[in-house]
Amino acid sequence: MVSSNPFASLCLSSLLLTLVLCVNGVSTSSHNDTKIGEGYRLVSIAETHDGGLVGFLQVNQKTSIYGSDISLLRFYAKHETNDRLRVHITDANKQRWEVPYNLLPREQPPALAQTIGRSRKNKDPITVSEYSGSELLFTYTSDPFSFKVKRKSNGETLFDTSSDASDPFSSLVFKDQYLEISTKLPKDASLYGLGENTQPHGIKLYPSDPYTLYTTDISAINLNADLYGSHPVYMDLRNAGGKASAHAVLLLNSNGMDVFYKGTSLTYKIIGGVFDFYFFSGPSPLNVVDQYTQLIGRPAPMPYWAFGFHQCRWGYHNLSVIEDVVDSYKKAQIPLDVIWNDDDHMDGKKDFTLNQGNYPRPKLLKFLEKIHSIGMKYIVINDPGIAVNTSYGVYQRGLANDVFIKYDGEPFLAQVWPGAVNFPDFLNPKTVSWWVDEIRRFHELVPIDGLWIDMNEVSNFCSGKCKIPEGKQCPTGTGPGWICCLDCKNITKTRWDDPPYKINASGIQAPIGFKTIATSAVHYNGVLEYDAHSLFGFAESIATHKGLLGIEGKRPFILSRSTFVGSGKYVAHWTGDNQGTWENLRYSISTMLNFGIFGVPMVGSDICGFYPQPTEELCNRWIEVGAFYPFSRDHANYYSPRQELYQWESVAESSRNALGIRYRILPYLYTLNYEAHVSGAPIARPLFFSFPTYTECYGLSTQFLLGSSLMISPVLEQGKTEVKALFPPGSWYSLLDLTSAITSKDGIYITLDAPLHVVNVHLYQNTILPMQQGGLISKDARMTPFSLVITFPEGATDGEAKGNLFLDEDELPEMTLGNGYSTYVDFHATVKQGTVKVWSEVQEGKFALDKGWYIESVSVLGLDGRGALSSLEIDGKPLSGVSDVKVSVSEHVHLDGHEKGEKKTVMVALKGLNISIGKNFAVNWKMG
């Protein structure tokens, strides 16, 4: 749902300009190159009982810019695993705000009280020293204090806080409300991450673009601005002499920050908290995400149906509209698994309520019974603002349990869709219990299948300290609902509301309390909103996950707009309020790929754009991209014309084609879901994940991979019926025509035909792709026969291919093997001296056997085409002449400039196999 006038957000800068002019303090730009502090010197160093290092840092000389420096700091370094190093720097004398350890569980550094006694020992520390782990090396210099993190295997410096004349920057700065630290970078480093923002230049971080991290409700159409989530992590990919290595750096801090990337250096400027750095050694991009999610939490397992297609719209005014949408999708033969409601189902836009006039409960229950019986699902929205209304049970129970964020001892008053609201304090255990109970109560009223938690940055239509106006209705019930109608006054009396350093909030240095909770408001245990602001959506996600998990013991599905480090353990994400423009279609790919790096692999953008109405051509092309988002949903604004996929016949045709592919590869997507859950591996990936040494793809943001091997090359420009696509070295096969092949030794650009209803999808060599026959609902598609597509390098005389398949009872909370309700299959294939072998290794086969799943066909691509196929055996038995198995051989067509007379390559297809997936099998034959 949009939270402000969608068209006005384009003019956000001008709307806020007058506010910015009134803000006191020094701007981010004016002191960008000014020396803010004089640095620190190391005054003591010692080993800790847990194998770490602890040292104390004395300020060299205090300065007054942005406040006074903290005199004594404690730094703590520890190799927490073989591939993870932590460096933690804080005030040595008192506890400072950190991301709560109960929200994001991790090791705690030694208590200050245990180490402060050592602060004055060892007056003459070693000038340079080393602290070595398995793969990372930590070194420090004492005065001014700086540190480096190196990779031991190749000697690369990954992080270096020492300044020099070539790229001068401030030494370490640590004040109460201003922290600064920088690192040098090599010019050829490719950086990714630091979100959430809409990056116009693609997935690679772009020098001099602003990167501000602070959860903010402004439309995703705003470029280079802090959006709904905060992820202060980046991946650094380097290539030295043809050898690639990746690492990542996380600064675990929830306070607002600006990050300045110059190309040869990166500087953090943060308005609170501590320096809590984690370094992940990689060396491959997949290793990095594995190590990162090992710390922050593995991505949540998603139910199978969540990989089906979803339809939503703000403005489904009554139940009959929803019923018509479902019927129309079926009539148009377009797959649909999930129907959504924005706030239209609510009574007066109040959470956990039902509008009995437009959505009468008996009729709604009957509708849900009907769609549930065929495997479809129903999800509704939920906003955190709880309407201030004495006749509203949710509010009454919240008030009785004291669950709301406070200001001046009273629940902080704000305005969102229902009018005056209070916001739950999800840092309070009592709030979590109340929220879980409200979810349970609502589920008894309406048996929903998931929750969509929106507006949780948190969004507020007003700013400052407000009260409900006397003698006028608020909201009026007419006109836009996002106009503030409370009586409000600015809050600037504290340093929390008006900090000395102004981050580039909303892209224009907006006050940090603008259109959100006042930053001097107070959470449970006295925690300030100033510190906890960016954690709101994350904390709400955890509470919502707990609530849904407790209802029926099913695997929760939650979609959250605001995210933080670790959110992927609980929720999926969509990229917020986008526009129906070609630019926004392109941006959606970069944002999706970023969230895979952030450990939130279940991600997608509003297909066809949230507003305004897309053109028919754009909607065709958007579904051809959106069909391959991990989370695939069409969603439109209240004020936009209808844009369901069946509204245009041309879009319906493109949808049948693109979603037809999606529903056939659902077994592959679901297996990627399992891989994400056990190792963090993104579902949608940049090409460099599979081709880290191929520098040509480092900045590629117009194509992407699903898993390691399936490449999507969509049309992203108006009027185009072909697409120039990059094919990294090796052999690629079109999923639309398995006989169509592209092979290159060093990588190649190919211009592909792409008529309006066609999206190009290619499968890489050495892969075994499990597919099914598709359907209109994932429940039905799931029970169709399987096929295996096996790819070898073209004409390979010695090749090996692999694939895997995870199957389970997809609504059980745990996604794991060994529970009696799951099966895992490794598929293998080799070609050697003319003999082709295909076989499987099955773990926990009973579940698949009980379901009756079987493989109907196997297609092997890229085989040397000389001679005929012979000696076909299945499980050691020769193929009988009366068998139902049909064998066909088809020659490949080459799109990469192969000359006539070059060696012929073929596809061999076996059909009618009827091989059980739950048992090991082996198929082999000879070529020629």
Side-chain angles (χ1 to χ4, degrees):
M1 182 197 297
V2 72
S3 54
S4 58
N5 182 336
F7 305 103
S9 62
L10 288 166
C11 308
L12 180 63
S13 300
S14 58
L15 286 172
L16 293 179
L17 187 59
T18 51
L19 279 166
V20 177
L21 291 173
C22 297
V23 174
N24 296 319
V26 186
S27 77
T28 55
S29 55
S30 62
H31 270 278
N32 213 9
D33 298 314
T34 301
K35 204 166 187 181
I36 309 300
E38 296 296 332
Y40 286 77
R41 64 186 181 277
L42 184 69
V43 293
S44 74
I45 188 94
E47 287 188 24
T48 62
H49 68 282
D50 62 354
L53 275 187
V54 66
F56 289 86
L57 310 173
Q58 183 76 46
V59 69
N60 281 325
Q61 182 181 334
K62 291 190 176 185
T63 65
S64 59
I65 302 174
Y66 305 135
S68 182
D69 300 81
I70 290 174
S71 298
L72 188 68
L73 305 179
R74 187 195 71 177
F75 92 82
Y76 168 70
K78 186 185 178 187
H79 294 282
E80 293 188 336
T81 69
N82 288 341
D83 40 45
R84 182 173 83 227
L85 166 70
R86 184 183 190 181
V87 177
H88 181 277
I89 303 175
T90 187
D91 186 333
N93 291 303
K94 69 174 185 178
Q95 196 73 35
R96 286 179 62 82
W97 166 257
E98 298 185 43
V99 174
Y101 285 80
N102 63 329
L103 280 188
L104 192 67
R106 59 204 189 278
E107 285 187 36
Q108 296 209 33
L112 291 174
Q114 295 174 2
T115 55
I116 192 65
R118 306 173 190 166
S119 64
R120 289 291 182 263
K121 294 177 185 174
N122 191 5
K123 296 285 185 183
D124 300 305
I126 301 167
T127 305
V128 178
S129 190
E130 295 185 348
Y131 170 50
S132 181
S134 298
E135 177 53 10
L136 295 176
L137 180 68
F138 174 84
T139 67
Y140 60 87
T141 303
S142 61
D143 190 10
F145 175 77
S146 65
F147 68 87
K148 294 180 184 178
V149 178
K150 292 184 177 181
R151 187 190 299 281
K152 288 172 68 175
S153 58
N154 62 7
E156 269 190 326
T157 299
L158 308 185
F159 201 83
D160 180 0
T161 69
S162 64
S163 178
D164 59 34
S166 64
D167 189 0
F169 47 71
S170 289
S171 300
L172 174 71
V173 181
F174 205 119
K175 300 163 186 279
D176 190 26
Q177 288 183 267
Y178 181 81
L179 285 65
E180 182 180 326
I181 196 168
S182 300
T183 177
K184 288 189 282 202
L185 291 167
K187 284 181 181 176
D188 58 351
S190 296
L191 268 57
Y192 310 88
L194 295 180
E196 172 182 17
N197 64 12
T198 300
Q199 297 170 205
H201 296 107
I203 51 174
K204 267 180 71 169
L205 298 190
Y206 195 80
S208 301
D209 272 0
Y211 297 96
T212 297
L213 284 76
Y214 188 73
T215 61
T216 306
D217 173 19
I218 59 170
S219 169
I221 67 174
N222 290 276
L223 306 180
N224 292 324
D226 45 317
L227 298 179
Y228 313 108
S230 175
H231 295 271
V233 61
Y234 69 85
M235 180 186 292
D236 181 338
L237 177 61
R238 303 178 187 178
N239 191 310
K243 290 189 175 180
S245 58
H247 67 277
V249 179
L250 165 67
L251 172 55
L252 188 56
N253 183 303
S254 64
N255 290 84
M257 68 178 80
D258 289 326
V259 186
F260 294 93
Y261 172 47
K262 290 184 180 177
T264 55
S265 67
L266 186 140
T267 298
Y268 298 88
K269 300 189 175 193
I270 318 155
I271 60 171
V274 301
F275 289 122
D276 194 1
F277 282 106
Y278 291 85
F279 301 91
F280 306 90
S281 66
S284 76
L286 271 180
N287 294 149
V288 166
V289 182
D290 184 1
Q291 294 153 13
Y292 182 57
T293 56
Q294 185 182 4
L295 172 72
I296 68 167
R298 298 297 196 195
M302 297 291 159
Y304 202 91
W305 55 261
F307 289 91
F309 183 69
H310 303 243
Q311 178 61 53
C312 183
R313 175 180 171 78
W314 181 24
Y316 286 149
H317 299 298
N318 55 49
L319 180 58
S320 64
V321 181
I322 291 262
E323 291 172 318
D324 179 66
V325 170
V326 172
D327 290 343
S328 297
Y329 266 93
K330 186 176 181 183
K331 223 174 276 179
Q333 293 290 286
I334 301 171
L336 179 65
D337 260 75
V338 191
I339 189 73
W340 293 57
N341 259 131
D342 207 305
D343 66 6
D344 305 291
H345 69 286
M346 296 179 179
D347 174 22
K349 306 187 186 299
K350 299 193 295 293
D351 281 347
F352 304 119
T353 63
L354 194 61
N355 182 328
Q356 295 287 356
N358 294 340
Y359 283 83
R361 184 169 181 259
K363 288 185 177 178
L364 178 59
L365 293 181
K366 193 174 177 183
F367 166 72
L368 294 182
E369 188 180 352
K370 176 184 169 186
I371 66 168
H372 284 155
S373 70
I374 59 172
M376 283 186 66
K377 305 295 180 181
Y378 176 61
I379 295 176
V380 300
I381 201 168
N382 200 302
D383 294 339
I386 302 298
V388 175
N389 185 324
T390 53
S391 62
Y392 174 36
V394 178
Y395 172 72
Q396 289 176 314
R397 290 185 289 273
L399 212 54
N401 283 286
D402 194 22
V403 304
F404 298 117
I405 293 168
K406 301 283 182 59
Y407 186 86
D408 283 348
E410 299 292 326
F412 178 78
L413 192 70
Q415 181 190 330
V416 201
W417 298 111
V421 299
N422 296 149
F423 292 118
D425 176 10
F426 290 105
L427 300 184
N428 186 341
K430 284 201 302 185
T431 307
V432 175
S433 300
W434 161 80
W435 189 252
V436 166
D437 184 57
E438 295 302 339
I439 291 173
R440 177 192 60 79
R441 287 170 182 265
F442 184 65
H443 191 271
E444 289 174 0
L445 184 71
V446 182
I448 53 168
D449 299 291
L451 274 174
W452 171 17
I453 51 176
D454 192 12
M455 310 285 284
N456 50 356
E457 291 74 32
V458 61
S459 179
N460 178 4
F461 299 162
C462 301
S463 298
K465 182 175 173 60
C466 303
K467 61 181 182 180
I468 298 172
E470 295 180 13
K472 69 172 184 178
Q473 186 179 338
C474 175
T476 61
T478 61
W482 52 78
I483 303 300
C484 179
C485 56
L486 300 178
D487 286 341
C488 306
K489 61 180 182 181
N490 286 340
I491 303 172
T492 55
K493 63 184 179 185
T494 77
R495 60 195 179 102
W496 312 116
D497 299 296
D498 186 23
Y501 176 80
K502 312 294 186 266
I503 61 169
N504 195 25
S506 303
I508 50 156
Q509 291 182 261
I512 56 173
F514 180 73
K515 293 292 183 77
T516 187
I517 299 170
T519 41
S520 53
V522 179
H523 292 254
Y524 178 69
N525 269 352
V527 170
L528 286 169
E529 171 68 10
Y530 180 87
D531 295 314
H533 171 83
S534 290
L535 295 174
F536 190 97
F538 178 43
E540 184 193 17
S541 296
I542 296 172
T544 306
H545 189 273
K546 185 176 181 181
L548 283 178
L549 193 60
I551 292 171
E552 291 180 325
K554 289 185 177 181
R555 192 175 298 174
F557 179 84
I558 304 161
L559 186 70
S560 179
R561 193 168 72 179
S562 187
T563 57
F564 187 73
V565 176
S567 283
K569 184 178 178 181
Y570 306 96
V571 298
H573 174 65
W574 94 108
T575 63
D577 298 341
N578 60 359
Q579 268 186 308
T581 65
W582 292 95
E583 290 80 9
N584 277 254
L585 170 58
R586 289 193 288 275
Y587 302 152
S588 74
I589 294 175
S590 299
T591 309
M592 168 183 69
L593 298 178
N594 264 335
F595 270 88
I597 294 171
F598 297 153
V600 190
M602 192 61 165
V603 59
S605 295
D606 285 347
I607 292 169
C608 297
F610 183 64
Y611 66 87
Q613 183 185 25
T615 63
E616 184 174 347
E617 182 192 359
L618 175 60
C619 207
N620 272 278
R621 292 311 191 184
W622 208 315
I623 186 57
E624 291 169 359
V625 179
F628 301 98
Y629 294 152
F631 171 63
S632 183
R633 185 184 71 160
D634 181 305
H635 178 42
N637 181 17
Y638 184 96
Y639 297 94
S640 298
R642 297 282 289 271
Q643 65 181 45
E644 291 83 6
L645 299 179
Y646 55 78
Q647 296 288 349
W648 296 279
E649 180 45 45
S650 72
V651 176
E653 185 177 343
S654 294
S655 303
R656 286 188 287 268
N657 292 342
L659 289 172
I661 300 172
R662 182 187 183 90
Y663 273 63
R664 295 207 307 279
I665 65 168
L666 282 175
Y668 179 64
L669 285 171
Y670 192 67
T671 301
L672 293 175
N673 174 38
Y674 174 70
E675 290 181 6
H677 180 54
V678 297
S679 72
I683 296 170
R685 307 174 190 174
L687 268 65
F688 69 74
F689 265 67
S690 289
F691 304 96
T693 61
Y694 185 51
T695 55
E696 188 73 20
C697 67
Y698 281 15
L700 188 66
S701 307
T702 53
Q703 295 166 255
F704 60 94
L705 293 170
L706 291 177
S708 61
S709 307
L710 200 63
M711 183 169 73
I712 319 299
S713 305
V715 172
L716 302 172
E717 295 178 74
Q718 186 175 357
K720 294 294 176 71
T721 54
E722 57 185 28
V723 60
K724 187 180 178 184
L726 177 65
F727 286 84
S731 293
W732 297 85
Y733 301 89
S734 170
L735 210 59
L736 302 179
D737 176 3
L738 297 179
T739 63
S740 176
I742 292 172
T743 296
S744 69
K745 183 185 175 188
D746 301 314
I748 189 172
Y749 278 95
I750 296 279
T751 298
L752 304 168
D753 284 337
L756 188 61
H757 306 304
V758 171
V759 58
N760 282 281
V761 182
H762 287 83
L763 187 62
Y764 191 54
Q765 65 188 33
N766 307 325
T767 301
I768 301 180
L769 175 70
M771 300 174 69
Q772 284 175 288
Q773 293 180 2
L776 295 182
I777 297 174
S778 64
K779 182 182 178 183
D780 296 336
R782 214 181 167 193
M783 298 314 296
T784 60
F786 279 79
S787 60
L788 299 181
V789 178
I790 301 168
T791 57
F792 289 119
E794 273 194 275
T797 55
D798 191 348
E800 181 181 9
K802 292 181 179 180
N804 46 41
L805 177 64
F806 180 82
L807 302 158
D808 73 346
E809 199 66 70
D810 71 299
E811 294 201 67
L812 289 176
E814 295 297 322
M815 191 180 208
T816 184
L817 275 172
N819 60 2
Y821 296 96
S822 54
T823 293
Y824 188 84
V825 186
D826 279 306
F827 296 111
H828 301 270
T830 57
V831 58
K832 195 164 190 176
Q833 296 175 342
T835 297
V836 178
K837 295 182 180 180
V838 182
W839 73 98
S840 72
E841 296 171 349
V842 180
Q843 298 178 55
E844 310 287 335
K846 183 177 182 302
F847 175 71
L849 287 171
D850 290 347
K851 290 289 187 182
W853 281 310
Y854 67 94
I855 298 167
E856 193 272 337
S857 70
V858 171
S859 300
V860 184
L861 282 54
L863 296 172
D864 187 332
R866 292 170 296 178
L869 179 146
S870 63
S871 307
L872 176 60
E873 292 182 346
I874 300 177
D875 292 333
K877 298 174 185 174
L879 186 65
S880 162
V882 296
S883 168
D884 291 332
V885 177
K886 292 183 174 60
V887 182
S888 63
V889 180
S890 308
E891 190 173 343
H892 286 301
V893 176
H894 304 282
L895 301 183
D896 48 25
H898 266 53
E899 294 294 329
K900 268 193 169 180
E902 289 193 33
K903 63 183 180 182
K904 184 172 96 173
T905 60
V906 297
M907 171 181 81
V908 173
L910 313 179
K911 294 186 177 178
L913 290 171
N914 202 19
I915 295 171
S916 174
I917 278 188
K919 289 181 181 174
N920 292 349
F921 73 85
V923 178
N924 54 275
W925 66 84
K926 288 184 179 176
M927 297 293 297

